[in-house]
Amino acid sequence: MREPEWRKTGKTPDYRFSLANERTFLAWIRTSLALLAGAVAIDQLAPDIAPQTVRIVLCVVLALVGAGLAFMAYRRWGLMEAAMRQDQALPFSRVLLFMTIVVAVAAFVFAVLILVAR
């Protein structure tokens, strides 16, 4: 894998900021993995929680959001590193709001499904 072009520009930021950015990237990856694990767990461990079609749709949506979040984690990490190298303001991301909404809606839907399944 070749080095990204943005790494050849600007000045190298303080290593503490780069490491903090990397920790944030890893937190996003952990969240992505949790969404994927949740999708697999619902499909394999809770077959009676909802009709098969509903369960499959929920699992696929969680898996797709998890995959998208993994992609966004890398993209966001690169944008933050590039901004730090150029001494620019860190870019704003709407992904945080999107993830908050997705997790809140998923929690609500699963709470309703658990209550209805009982």
Side-chain angles (χ1 to χ4, degrees), residues 8 12 14 23 28 38 41 49 52 64 68 74 79 99 108:
K8 299 173 186 171
T12 303
D14 184 331
R23 284 190 301 273
W28 284 52
I49 197 168
Q52 183 177 5
L64 289 175
Y74 181 77
L79 290 173
M99 284 307 302
F108 179 76

Side-chain angles (χ1 to χ4, degrees), residues 34-97:
L35 289 168
L36 293 171
V40 171
I42 290 164
D43 184 53
Q44 296 298 308
L45 303 176
D48 298 328
I49 197 168
Q52 183 177 5
T53 306
V54 173
R55 196 178 78 245
I56 289 172
V57 168
L58 290 172
C59 292
V60 168
V61 167
L62 281 178
L64 289 175
V65 169
L69 184 60
F71 172 77
M72 288 303 300
Y74 181 77
R75 183 175 179 272
R76 185 178 186 275
W77 170 80
L79 290 173
M80 297 296 172
E81 281 291 317
M84 287 189 292
R85 286 179 165 277
Q86 299 298 326
D87 286 327
Q88 296 175 345
L90 299 179
F92 174 75
S93 176
R94 285 181 173 42
V95 175
L96 300 174
L97 176 61

